[in-house]
Amino acid sequence: MSLSRRFASALAALALAASGLVLSSPTALALENGLLRVPPMGFNNWNSTQCKADFTEGMIKGIADLFVSKGLKDVGYTYVNIDDCWALPSRNSSGDLVPDPVRFPHGIKSLADYVHGKGLKFGIYTSAGTKTCNKAGFPGGLGHEQQDANLFASWGVDYLKYDNCNNQGVDAQQRYKAMRDALAKSGRPIAYSICEWGQNQPWTWAAPVGNLWRTTGDISDKWSSMIGKTQANRGLAQYAGPGHWNDPDMLEVGNGGMTTAEYRTHFGLWAMMAAPLLIGSDLRKVSEDDFAILKNTDVIALDQDPLGKQATVLSANAGLVVYSKVLANGDRAVALSNETASTATISTTASATGIGAAPSYTLKDLWSKGTRTTTGTINASVPSHATVLYRVSSSGGTRYEAESATLSAGGTVDSNHAGYSGTGFANGANAVGSSVEWQVTGPATAVTFGYANGTAAARPVDVSVDGTVVAAGVSFPPTGAWTTWSTVTRAVSLAAGAHTVRVTATTADGPANLDYLDLSR
Ligand code: GLA
């Protein structure tokens, strides 16, 4: 977007704020280049090669080939990115960066073309300093922002990782905004990755500057490093969203320094945290077990969920950590993560995730693929350094508490008989025609009433939907005591959308005490 448009939208934001309509959503202030509405997925060579001799055009082409042949492209991996040490130590006489002719004999444009030819995207690296991080001292972008951005655009670059070394003490926001503006003027959409290591709390200022920002120093291929990055990143959920992500650094899965359980924890928690999934291993050497981790589509779906919410921490007690991530379809992803040295049971509840009351929930284990149902408890025995990942969905439909329903004259909401769900129950007037009415949202195939009837006689009702009786004289038999709760279920056919469900007593005793109405899909 042009500077004048940016200025105009800033003014509009100020005007809204002044008018009392506070723009609380950070999304409203995000970098508006339209890119990375979900976290980036792809590859970067750094974690496997650093600047060693195997970082070459041949390697990068091989990775692009494997993205296609191993099905990684099919599950969402898109960016093939190169890191430090791709250039010569000096710019040419025109001031342009020059690809190292030993590593990249055909230049960068030819490599980008090759990657594009596979239907993939290509990314490059430089530093917001006078030189990049490698001690050989490759030229950085500070003071050359527009020239370098234009060169990258001319090569077909789709993603820039912009590092922080040799920054000469120049203000970080100034340096990263300069490259943002240069990329915007380059004429090519280029995703912009700020690699400032969290030094100036970029989460507080970088949403309008970059598409993602590193929150930590460099990861290494060991448990202590990976879990340390997790701990630093997991409290920053409020700052992440479509187009602007926290980046706890690239993946180590497949590099050999962690166990399968630890790599699953790494991959699973990155997905929970809506972190970039940039493979950092040399895919030409990765085991099938590690491919299986990288290609777990249920876990990838958490990362790539279009709502773009980073998981929050529900509890963290002595290394036993529960995370919950809100998903676009209303499901929750729950991670039970064991950072300790021994197996432990980790527990939470459906209600703690905010999923909303339902008669039961389906838990899908995203590693074993097994499912089970629960009425609320979500727990597992979790081995040391492992993480159990569940996708939680309301399986029994939706619960509507009777205390939120509308009662006809004389009815009261009471709580004097224990055992009800929610905060109370509906005690309808003892009269023919006494009714309880719920506003519900279909679709549904059945209604279930929770009730208690402490008398010796059934308390029949007519059940109506949108004013039409669909079940007449439905019996609510005695339950033995007012504190003994039971259920009555009837099939109904509710289309999608809003409906009124009403029960109306047909005897002078009125209805039974009603606890809730469950709609089943
Ligand atoms: C910094 C970055 C790393 C990598 C190296 C390259 O350390 O944080 O991710 O890009 O530089 O030199």
Side-chain angles (χ1 to χ4, degrees):
M1 138 161 107
S2 72
L3 282 176
S4 58
R5 268 188 60 206
R6 245 188 224 129
F7 184 62
S9 58
L11 271 185
L14 277 177
L16 272 176
S19 71
L21 285 167
V22 179
L23 285 177
S24 59
S25 163
T27 322
L29 299 171
L31 175 63
E32 292 182 37
N33 64 1
L35 301 173
L36 301 191
R37 305 305 295 171
V38 293
M41 291 178 66
F43 168 85
N44 174 297
N45 65 286
W46 181 257
N47 285 349
S48 69
T49 68
Q50 288 86 41
C51 295
K52 292 188 291 248
D54 54 346
F55 172 43
T56 63
E57 170 182 297
M59 179 207 190
I60 301 302
K61 285 184 170 176
I63 298 293
D65 294 346
L66 284 170
F67 263 32
V68 176
S69 64
K70 293 293 264 181
L72 292 159
K73 180 186 170 193
D74 289 341
V75 299
Y77 292 95
T78 304
Y79 289 96
V80 178
N81 297 349
I82 61 172
D83 210 279
D84 199 0
C85 305
W86 61 265
L88 284 179
S90 299
R91 293 172 179 271
N92 67 16
S93 56
S94 320
D96 278 334
L97 297 165
V98 183
D100 179 337
V102 175
R103 294 185 196 270
F104 298 100
H106 301 93
I108 299 298
K109 175 154 192 338
S110 141
L111 181 57
D113 288 348
Y114 184 88
V115 170
H116 291 151
K118 303 260 163 192
L120 300 167
K121 293 189 162 131
F122 179 78
I124 207 163
Y125 162 99
T126 188
S127 181
T130 50
K131 290 182 185 307
T132 67
C133 294
N134 184 263
K135 54 183 176 308
F138 303 103
L142 188 63
H144 297 266
E145 290 86 356
Q146 197 62 59
Q147 181 165 10
D148 291 352
N150 291 348
L151 184 65
F152 297 151
S154 77
W155 286 344
V157 164
D158 305 297
Y159 184 114
L160 174 66
K161 172 177 172 182
Y162 202 36
D163 213 336
N164 194 33
C165 286
N166 302 301
N167 61 47
Q168 310 301 312
V170 180
D171 175 71
Q173 295 197 39
Q174 185 185 321
R175 288 180 293 118
Y176 286 98
K177 285 177 182 168
M179 184 55 89
R180 169 197 66 187
D181 295 341
L183 292 173
K185 281 198 214 136
S186 76
R188 186 174 173 89
I190 299 178
Y192 184 31
S193 158
I194 294 175
C195 179
E196 177 269 5
W197 318 315
Q199 284 193 343
N200 299 277
Q201 303 192 306
W203 47 90
T204 63
W205 52 264
V209 182
N211 294 116
L212 61 158
W213 50 84
R214 281 272 295 277
T215 56
T216 69
D218 289 8
I219 196 170
S220 61
D221 188 20
K222 2 179 240 253
W223 165 261
S224 58
S225 170
M226 183 278 290
I227 208 66
K229 306 299 164 221
T230 304
Q231 290 160 348
N233 193 71
R234 69 189 176 201
L236 303 174
Q238 71 186 98
Y239 302 105
H244 53 104
W245 310 101
N246 291 310
D247 174 6
D249 207 356
M250 302 172 292
L251 297 170
E252 293 283 5
V253 177
N255 280 329
M258 288 185 246
T259 65
T260 297
E262 290 169 344
Y263 279 146
R264 284 180 170 184
T265 290
H266 179 16
F267 194 69
L269 293 182
W270 259 236
M272 290 292 286
M273 296 190 294
L277 298 180
L278 293 173
I279 297 169
S281 51
D282 185 342
L283 291 169
R284 297 169 303 175
K285 302 174 189 163
V286 162
S287 71
E288 285 308 314
D289 278 0
D290 289 332
F291 265 114
I293 293 174
L294 295 168
K295 288 175 62 178
N296 185 318
T297 50
D298 286 318
V299 179
I300 290 171
L302 306 185
D303 187 74
Q304 299 287 294
D305 186 80
L307 195 60
K309 294 267 192 209
Q310 178 174 331
T312 56
V313 175
L314 296 187
S315 61
N317 298 315
L320 306 180
V321 188
V322 178
Y323 302 79
S324 172
K325 183 182 202 289
V326 182
L327 301 173
N329 73 346
D331 289 358
R332 299 293 190 274
V334 169
L336 308 174
S337 188
N338 183 354
E339 298 176 358
T340 77
S342 41
T343 299
T345 295
I346 306 179
S347 303
T348 185
T349 61
S351 126
T353 72
I355 192 172
S360 67
Y361 304 88
T362 300
L363 305 182
K364 180 173 183 187
D365 182 319
L366 303 186
W367 293 113
S368 76
K369 309 294 182 183
T371 60
R372 63 185 170 92
T373 57
T374 172
T375 54
T377 300
I378 300 171
N379 61 4
S381 171
V382 188
S384 167
H385 293 188
T387 298
V388 170
L389 269 187
Y390 289 123
R391 187 167 182 131
V392 183
S393 47
S394 304
S395 52
T398 312
R399 172 158 298 181
Y400 298 88
E401 292 290 347
E403 56 269 33
S404 318
T406 304
L407 280 52
S408 62
T412 53
V413 171
D414 293 344
S415 55
N416 54 330
H417 301 305
Y420 50 81
S421 88
T423 57
F425 55 87
N427 180 357
N430 300 117
V432 173
S434 172
S435 69
V436 179
E437 179 179 295
W438 287 267
Q439 306 302 324
V440 303
T441 304
T445 58
V447 288
T448 296
F449 299 96
Y451 81 101
N453 178 356
T455 72
R459 294 196 166 187
V461 299
D462 288 344
V463 178
S464 71
V465 174
D466 301 328
T468 302
V469 174
V470 295
V474 176
S475 178
F476 281 68
T479 56
W482 290 111
T483 50
T484 303
W485 300 86
S486 185
T487 58
V488 166
T489 298
R490 285 293 179 277
V492 294
S493 176
L494 251 58
H499 300 279
T500 302
V501 176
R502 183 190 298 169
V503 299
T504 306
T506 57
T507 69
D509 288 338
N513 283 352
L514 290 164
D515 185 14
Y516 57 80
L517 164 65
D518 283 342
L519 282 197
S520 306
R521 284 196 282 271

